[in-house]
Amino acid sequence: MRIEVRQTRPYPDQKPGTSGLRKKTRVFLENPNYLENFVQSIFDCLPDKAGKTLVLGGDGRYHNRKALQTIVKMALANGFGTLLVGQGGLLSTPAASHLIRKYHALGGIILSASHNPGGPDGDFGIKYNIDNGGPAPEKYTEAFYRRSREIDEYRIAVMDDIDLDTQGEHQIDGAILRIIDPVTDYAELMAQLFDFDRMRQALGSGKVSICFDAMHAVTGPYAKRILEDQLGAPEGSVINAVPLEDFGGGHPDPNLTYARELVERMYGPDAPTLGAASDGDGDRNMILGRGFFVTPSDSLALLAANAHRAPGYRDGLRGVARSMPTSRAVDRVADALGIPCYETPTGWKFFGNLLDAGKITLCGEESFGTGSDHVREKDGLWAVLFWLNIVVASGQEVATLVRDHWRRFGRNYYTRHDYEAIAAETGHAIMDDLRRKLPELPGQHFGSFTVEAADDFSYTDPVNGSVTTGQGIRILLEPEARLIFRLSGTGTEGATLRIYMERYEPDPTRLDLDTQETLTELIELAETLSQVKQRTGRDGPTVIT
Ligand code: VG1
Ligand code: CO
């Protein structure tokens, strides 16, 4: 193996966002060494990588295979001892997290732009996970960024492309390259957490049925193996199961808009008991019952309240956590269970320390993300299996479970309105103006609400004391409601403003209202305070979840 040290020039814009470096695919295709620079920047910030293990894989989108070939050669040239690569270049984000932990790797590189469309006109992304299996915390991502701005050379092995498609082990000049089945280790972990015997019985007898939409993204092979092969769901229970470079022309985002085929089935006459979908890299999930949509915030609360029904969580939860904009439904469950509930900034990297320190067992985000201490990423298929386990163990319909939950705890009506790809200056100006208004808001009356408190969310990590500021404008209202504004950290075009609205309803006769209608006053208040429509010239949000 001949190692070349090649000259390069730094780029100014390789700053990782909420979840790694995400750009238009063309940025990677058209700027020489764009990928190489970022990968070398990561490697330069990792001391002691000699002889260590690195996990590599991606969600299978356009450019995945080519980028992986480059990264393999660079990892070998940078002295890693063992490379574990998912067959076909595939690894879901949670499976990669598990492999890092299981094989005591130094870390892993995952190629994905998650739920964003792929292809030459779509998005591409790269993220680094550390030895606990979780996304690199900010002290790493800041170091990567700093390094990327001064980098002037990278190291690469000069060799033929590796065969990504055949499982097996290769010796390359003292280093080991293993092409592994992407599903096996992950499937074993799932079997330890959930009651596979009972689930097999229920699915096999047809008492319970499922439709899982893999959206032509990475979870196809995982869901096929686990749901159909191992749990005996009839063939065809997993739809859009083959990962495609362009996700079949679709948008691999598991929500009511993009998982259309699934939604039609679940609202149709022969709907199965449980409907679910995952995103490009397999870390998100959407849960549906027959003609019923479970909001991600409610899903987290319900999993917390019913965790004891799954073998892996029978001993109870140590604590829970949610990202700040996620609804406070789970807070009430934590109260009832007598366990702590932590509020973190958006992004899974903020849960890592709480999980490592054993302060929490479950955590989640409103953006269709739920997970636990079994890995250090959110985990789409895990959430689906958890729901399936609860449905099977309780013998109840999804809708019944959720309505019972609301009767017990009250309901947090919740919606998120996104204004995507607005001009960056407008997005920042809206946030700046809101920030300026903060001091004068407390005590002000708006319709039936009074502002109780208003701030720009900042977080002090309870484990290591690190402080993260500027994490979103938060307006707390009385009677119990919240209004939150923040700018997305995953977009690849202009700015995306997210507005989150939440209202708590304790009245048992008012649990089945239309969400958008019951939140009208808050939606209008958001416009009064931000004037987003007027300032962007838009009629309304691009996406409502
Ligand atoms: C979004 C979500 C956030 C999630 C992140 C990554 O970030 O809001 O909750 O953790 O995507 O998810 P932002 O900054 O655009 O709001 V994924 O599935 O892209 O890894
Ligand atoms: Co994702």
Side-chain angles (χ1 to χ4, degrees):
M1 180 173 75
R2 188 162 59 83
I3 292 169
E4 265 183 22
V5 179
R6 295 186 186 156
Q7 305 305 303
T8 188
R9 290 169 50 170
Y11 290 96
D13 65 343
Q14 297 194 316
K15 188 176 168 60
T18 313
S19 180
L21 181 69
R22 234 172 251 186
K23 297 281 174 193
K24 292 273 167 221
T25 311
R26 292 210 181 281
V27 173
F28 286 89
L29 298 179
E30 289 169 4
N31 293 299
N33 303 333
Y34 198 82
L35 177 78
E36 288 85 342
N37 276 17
F38 191 67
V39 172
Q40 190 63 53
S41 299
I42 296 174
F43 290 162
D44 285 350
C45 296
L46 305 175
D48 308 326
K49 49 194 173 291
K52 296 280 170 58
T53 299
L54 186 70
V55 172
L56 298 172
D59 65 9
R61 70 179 58 223
Y62 179 82
H63 201 49
N64 188 59
R65 298 174 74 98
K66 188 148 184 277
L68 260 184
Q69 294 287 356
T70 303
I71 297 171
V72 164
K73 293 171 194 173
M74 289 184 68
L76 290 169
N78 277 273
F80 281 94
T82 303
L83 304 182
L84 299 180
V85 186
Q87 187 182 14
L90 296 179
L91 280 182
S92 78
T93 285
S97 180
H98 177 52
L99 289 169
I100 293 169
R101 296 166 66 75
K102 180 167 177 180
Y103 296 104
H104 308 291
L106 178 68
I109 291 179
I110 304 168
L111 300 176
S112 173
S114 190
H115 53 288
N116 297 8
D121 297 317
D123 291 350
F124 190 76
I126 168 168
K127 57 181 174 174
Y128 181 73
N129 283 28
I130 60 170
D131 59 357
N132 74 350
E138 287 194 322
K139 81 168 196 274
Y140 285 82
T141 54
E142 277 157 20
F144 301 161
Y145 177 48
R146 265 198 310 277
R147 181 69 193 138
S148 75
R149 293 170 57 129
E150 55 194 31
I151 193 154
D152 56 6
E153 58 183 38
Y154 68 91
R155 299 169 68 80
I156 190 160
V158 183
M159 57 189 269
D160 287 341
D161 278 358
I162 59 163
D163 172 7
L164 281 171
D165 297 301
T166 314
Q167 285 177 38
E169 190 167 306
H170 310 270
Q171 298 275 346
I172 305 175
D173 276 11
I176 296 169
L177 170 71
R178 271 173 61 202
I179 307 295
I180 58 171
D181 180 275
V183 180
T184 306
D185 296 278
Y186 178 83
E188 270 172 22
L189 177 65
M190 293 301 115
Q192 288 161 22
L193 298 174
F194 303 115
D195 194 344
F196 270 33
D197 287 340
R198 252 175 112 176
M199 288 151 80
R200 201 176 291 120
Q201 249 170 28
L203 287 170
S205 65
K207 246 171 77 189
V208 166
S209 49
I210 187 168
C211 178
F212 180 94
D213 189 349
M215 305 188 86
H216 286 303
V218 80
T219 48
Y222 294 86
K224 273 249 162 210
R225 177 92 59 86
I226 296 174
L227 292 171
E228 295 187 5
D229 300 350
Q230 301 186 342
L231 294 175
E235 216 189 311
S237 298
V238 180
I239 59 173
N240 302 316
V242 180
L244 298 174
E245 286 204 331
D246 66 346
F247 307 118
H251 198 135
D253 195 354
N255 60 35
L256 294 175
T257 309
Y258 294 120
R260 201 177 328 119
E261 192 178 339
L262 172 74
V263 171
E264 271 165 23
R265 273 201 210 191
M266 295 310 295
Y267 286 81
D270 302 313
T273 326
L274 181 64
S278 191
D279 70 332
D281 61 329
D283 56 358
R284 296 188 176 207
N285 74 91
M286 173 170 68
I287 300 293
L288 299 165
R290 292 191 168 105
F292 191 90
F293 166 69
V294 186
T295 71
S297 296
D298 279 345
S299 173
L300 174 64
L302 198 129
L303 291 183
N306 291 274
H308 58 277
R309 296 186 197 265
Y313 304 91
R314 195 152 281 155
D315 297 339
L317 308 176
R318 291 164 181 260
V320 292
R322 61 164 172 80
S323 67
M324 185 273 280
T326 302
S327 103
R328 296 192 287 196
V330 73
D331 301 35
R332 292 182 183 271
V333 178
D335 254 6
L337 293 172
I339 56 173
C341 176
Y342 298 87
E343 184 175 43
T344 59
T346 294
W348 212 260
K349 60 188 167 207
F350 294 102
F351 294 131
N353 282 342
L354 296 170
L355 291 162
D356 284 351
K359 289 185 179 297
I360 59 169
T361 311
L362 284 192
C363 47
E365 298 190 276
E366 50 66 42
S367 52
F368 298 85
T370 350
S372 88
D373 57 359
H374 70 291
V375 290
R376 294 293 180 274
E377 285 276 8
K378 55 185 185 265
D379 189 342
L381 190 51
W382 165 89
V384 176
L385 292 167
F386 209 152
W387 266 93
L388 182 62
N389 195 143
I390 291 170
V391 166
V392 168
S394 66
Q396 285 186 326
E397 288 284 323
V398 171
T400 314
L401 285 164
V402 177
R403 290 205 171 95
D404 284 352
H405 186 94
W406 291 339
R407 263 194 293 279
R408 186 165 159 217
F409 294 99
R411 177 171 178 186
N412 291 68
Y413 282 102
Y414 187 85
T415 191
R416 179 177 113 183
H417 287 197
D418 292 338
Y419 288 81
E420 294 179 320
I422 60 177
E425 311 82 72
T426 312
H428 288 288
I430 290 174
M431 292 300 286
D432 289 344
D433 289 347
L434 284 166
R435 215 167 280 124
R436 260 194 295 278
K437 280 189 194 146
L438 285 174
E440 68 209 38
L441 284 177
Q444 280 199 41
H445 304 288
F446 295 100
S448 52
F449 292 105
T450 307
V451 179
E452 222 177 27
D455 66 1
D456 188 353
F457 183 60
S458 88
Y459 176 66
T460 305
D461 185 307
V463 179
N464 67 8
S466 64
V467 177
T468 309
T469 56
Q471 294 301 303
I473 302 290
R474 186 166 67 150
I475 301 171
L476 307 178
L477 303 157
E478 184 45 47
E480 196 176 328
R482 291 194 311 167
L483 190 55
I484 292 151
F485 299 85
R486 61 178 282 281
L487 292 178
S488 156
T490 57
T492 57
E493 214 182 312
T496 290
L497 179 71
R498 305 203 197 283
I499 309 178
Y500 311 77
M501 284 146 293
E502 173 185 8
R503 181 179 81 75
Y504 178 63
E505 178 59 73
D507 183 347
T509 65
R510 295 174 53 82
L511 298 177
D512 256 317
L513 307 177
D514 178 83
T515 299
Q516 298 302 315
E517 260 169 45
T518 191
L519 294 176
T520 307
E521 210 183 320
L522 287 172
I523 295 169
E524 280 165 8
L525 176 55
E527 177 61 23
T528 308
L529 292 174
S530 68
Q531 301 194 320
V532 55
K533 285 195 210 163
Q534 197 201 313
R535 294 167 83 163
T536 57
R538 304 264 176 101
D539 295 337
T542 1
V543 180
I544 296 181
T545 48

